[in-house]
Amino acid sequence: MAPPSDLREWIALLEREGELHRVSAEADPDLEISEIADRVVKGGGPALLFERPRGSRLPLLINQFGTERRMCLAFGVQSLDDVAAKLEDVLELQPPQGLVEKVKGLKKLKSIADSMPKTVSKGACQEIVLTGDDVDLDLLPIQRCWPGDPAPFITLPAVITQDPRTGSRNVGMYRMQKIDRRSTFMHWQVHKDGRMDYLATDGRLEVAVALGLDPVTAYSASAPLPKHVDELMLAGFLRGEAVEVVQGKTVALEVPANAEIVLEGYVERGDEGIEGPFGDHTGYYSPAEPFPVFHVTALTMRRDAIYPSIVVGKPPAEDAWLAKATERIFLPAVRMTVPEIVDYDLPVAGAFHNCVLVSIRKAYPGHARKVMHALWGLGALSLSKSIVVVDEWVDVHDYEDVFFRVCANVDPKRDLLLTEGPLDQLDHSPTLACYGGKLGIDATHKGPSEGARDWPEEIAMNEETRALVDRRWSEYGLPAAPSAGVVQNGRRGRALRTLRR
Ligand SMILES: Cc1cc2nc3c(=O)[nH]c(=O)nc-3n(C[C@H](O)[C@H](O)[C@H](O)COP(=O)(O)O)c2cc1C
Ligand SMILES: [Mn+2]
């Protein structure tokens, strides 16, 4: 099934699939909706459409991304690895051999060409156009998420800018603290592409913010693409349908035609104020710091616009599945640079930038360290604080198995790599902001070539005995048991797990 083409189609799909709950009771965007959403998210519950947010005529949608099933529905796939496979197919494009291959290759190239955003002359996002004094952010049910937040924050925006030097477009998801009816802060962290566009001007930079998009385009705003790659192209590729864009009313930027709401405006170098604190996805408040002020010159929207929101906080929160989608979708791209990687997992509890578990096909001494350094040099993964490397046969999604390897295979003196480098701006633990220590743990098998003694063999029952026990199981008078002993899909049986605690 094709992914939904706008927010309405998405809401209708969620409703058909029993994945949406409408809240008709009035609820307050000031904290109350946060608490409701947080409980529903942590309980694995449905998306919520608040039909009467207090103080606004616009309904508020939240928890659209809160489960793996909804994330798969958004992409029109069975599993997020299917999305990765689609990308891998294109990344691994080889010079075609025969005619059949050539035709296939052309199809793939066409799928890339068709991904480019398409300019259209009219968009539903501009049914209502408010400019100048008529701009009023008070119309929107913007949430104040946590008690320590000083103001309401727009939390699920797609922020569009253009590199003043190259004209290339960037779309990123950056929270926006409301200042007054016509301005917000723009939370461009130091490592992000939006900030690079801002730093590349010494004057004014136009900005457009799209709210209420089809889910794949909304996701794409959070995707860590290289600076020069347009996130709307990724959205078009993943949807299998180009994103339609329409000329902004007061800025020379194109905006997604299907958006529910668009804010147009500008930031200016030197025009900054103190943003935050904000209850962040680290589980802590990120500190108040200077960020640019975004001046809104136009607020355009659909006649019956719906406002999208998300609450981040102590993990797991709704953003967990946005980040898991990135983990899965970007694995083939990571493998393009580091092909010995079999799989990786960024635990939700590690707020994603704090910990990477990675399995590799180890081929030479120091290979685990080579992979650590590669990841510390690779895009958004460069901000990872700790990396655990295990052998190819370890299931990195089975945290207990990874823990077993770390405990069993690591000589702390020999196998820990302590280094330093850039860290995520939101990490409060390092002494300096954005810079500090990094830990690599080599939990792979080692041997004399890496200064270890002869490495012992891992225990496993032989095939012959397993087959015998499989055959004779019913004779023992025991209840049905998994045939492969205690290990099931790489995960240990529940009974054993309970015993170990
Ligand atoms: C819900 C949510 C909120 C986010 N808020 C911010 C933010 O306030 N500031 C920021 O720099 N990144 C934020 N991010 C992460 C960026 O969206 C992400 O790093 C993205 O790749 C940025 O786009 P860019 O690579 O084009 O800069 C957020 C991500 C999500 C999912
Ligand atoms: Mn980008």
Side-chain angles (χ1 to χ4, degrees):
M1 201 172 34
S5 67
D6 63 13
L7 190 73
R8 274 124 209 273
E9 237 181 61
W10 174 223
I11 289 174
L13 174 63
L14 290 173
E15 200 145 38
R16 277 201 307 279
E17 293 288 331
E19 291 280 351
L20 181 89
H21 178 81
R22 289 174 185 269
V23 182
S24 53
E26 189 183 75
D28 201 333
D30 190 74
L31 302 184
E32 187 185 4
I33 290 181
S34 251
E35 177 64 14
I36 300 166
D38 195 48
R39 291 186 195 188
V40 173
V41 168
K42 289 193 164 63
L48 302 172
L49 188 64
F50 286 91
E51 295 177 327
R52 290 171 56 215
R54 179 169 298 159
S56 171
R57 287 172 54 185
L58 276 63
L60 177 151
L61 177 70
I62 195 163
N63 199 19
Q64 56 178 306
F65 297 116
T67 63
E68 183 172 20
R69 174 158 197 264
R70 282 205 290 286
M71 211 63 207
C72 288
L73 277 175
F75 283 96
V77 294
Q78 295 295 319
S79 127
L80 289 172
D81 286 315
D82 298 345
V83 188
K86 191 175 169 189
L87 205 62
E88 185 164 27
D89 209 30
V90 169
L91 288 174
E92 307 238 308
L93 203 60
Q94 300 286 342
Q97 300 295 326
L99 186 65
V100 177
E101 288 247 316
K102 270 190 186 140
V103 173
K104 271 195 197 154
L106 282 177
K107 261 195 186 156
K108 286 181 195 173
L109 286 178
K110 187 169 178 313
S111 75
I112 301 173
D114 289 349
S115 310
M116 300 304 287
K118 200 165 89 192
T119 307
V120 295
S121 58
K122 263 183 95 160
C125 68
Q126 294 173 338
E127 284 171 357
I128 294 175
V129 178
L130 304 173
T131 56
D133 272 351
D134 291 335
V135 170
D136 188 0
L137 295 176
D138 287 340
L139 294 171
L140 310 180
I142 306 176
Q143 277 187 274
R144 192 166 70 98
C145 299
W146 297 106
D149 296 359
F153 284 78
I154 297 174
T155 50
L156 202 62
V159 178
I160 302 163
T161 50
Q162 258 179 4
D163 189 318
R165 297 156 302 187
T166 62
S168 69
R169 173 167 36 219
N170 190 72
V171 188
M173 189 173 282
Y174 320 101
R175 71 172 187 240
M176 297 158 59
Q177 177 183 332
K178 186 175 154 202
I179 299 173
D180 55 30
R181 289 172 62 232
R182 289 168 56 191
S183 62
T184 76
F185 288 114
M186 189 56 77
H187 192 256
W188 281 321
Q189 291 165 211
V190 301
H191 306 107
K192 305 303 171 76
D193 295 342
R195 167 158 307 241
M196 300 307 161
D197 288 346
Y198 171 64
L199 294 181
T201 171
D202 43 18
R204 200 172 260 213
L205 180 76
E206 292 189 327
V207 181
V209 178
L211 295 164
L213 297 164
D214 67 90
V216 174
T217 306
Y219 157 76
S220 299
S222 77
L225 290 176
K227 169 83 175 72
H228 57 279
V229 183
D230 181 355
E231 281 82 359
L232 292 187
M233 193 183 99
L234 175 72
F237 177 77
L238 295 177
R239 294 198 323 175
E241 191 186 2
V243 176
E244 293 191 342
V245 289
V246 63
Q247 191 57 50
K249 291 290 178 188
T250 59
V251 291
L253 291 170
E254 290 173 319
V255 300
N258 73 4
E260 295 289 317
I261 303 160
V262 173
L263 307 177
E264 302 177 1
Y266 62 89
V267 293
E268 231 154 0
R269 281 304 294 280
D271 179 15
E272 300 189 352
I274 300 299
E275 195 259 11
F278 175 70
D280 224 314
H281 83 126
T282 54
Y284 289 84
Y285 285 96
S286 48
E289 283 181 290
F291 278 93
V293 178
F294 170 55
H295 299 276
V296 186
T297 52
L299 190 172
T300 79
M301 55 184 166
R302 296 189 186 224
R303 238 168 258 118
D304 50 356
I306 298 165
Y307 174 84
S309 194
I310 188 170
V311 173
V312 300
K314 231 178 247 173
E318 186 188 338
D319 60 325
W321 281 106
L322 282 172
K324 275 287 159 195
T326 289
E327 176 200 291
R328 291 297 92 200
I329 293 169
F330 279 76
L331 177 57
V334 171
R335 277 212 211 102
M336 287 289 286
T337 326
V338 198
E340 59 269 52
I341 288 181
V342 175
D343 201 356
Y344 68 170
D345 186 289
L346 284 68
V348 171
F352 290 88
H353 50 255
N354 287 334
C355 182
V356 181
L357 314 175
V358 56
S359 58
I360 64 164
R361 256 174 245 106
K362 185 172 169 178
Y364 46 78
H367 203 158
R369 284 167 195 245
K370 182 262 192 190
V371 170
M372 294 170 194
H373 290 298
L375 294 181
W376 281 324
L378 193 62
L381 282 166
S382 65
L383 303 177
S384 307
K385 186 156 63 176
S386 60
I387 299 178
V388 180
V389 186
V390 292
D391 288 299
E392 60 193 286
W393 54 84
V394 179
D395 176 359
V396 287
H397 310 297
D398 182 346
Y399 301 158
E400 234 167 286
D401 199 14
V402 173
F403 189 62
F404 163 62
R405 307 288 163 171
V406 170
C407 293
N409 293 343
V410 172
D411 171 351
K413 193 129 189 222
R414 185 192 59 212
D415 299 330
L416 299 191
L417 173 61
L418 211 48
T419 179
E420 54 196 273
L423 292 172
D424 194 280
Q425 188 165 8
L426 299 180
D427 188 341
H428 55 268
S429 67
T431 309
L432 299 174
C434 305
Y435 183 83
K438 285 171 182 279
L439 174 66
I441 301 178
D442 177 359
T444 61
H445 283 192
K446 280 144 294 233
S449 63
E450 290 179 301
R453 289 173 291 152
D454 282 340
W455 205 260
E457 197 182 334
E458 219 175 301
I459 300 172
M461 185 45 73
N462 59 25
E463 269 310 314
E464 199 188 339
T465 311
R466 280 158 57 141
L468 169 89
V469 169
D470 277 352
R471 246 187 352 262
R472 294 203 51 205
W473 190 259
S474 60
E475 295 177 43
Y476 310 139
L478 288 161
S483 59
V486 290
V487 180
Q488 232 183 333
N489 297 328
R491 277 158 223 272
R492 268 140 230 281
R494 190 175 281 284
L496 185 64
R497 189 171 274 170
T498 320
L499 248 188
R500 280 205 192 132
R501 290 222 167 104

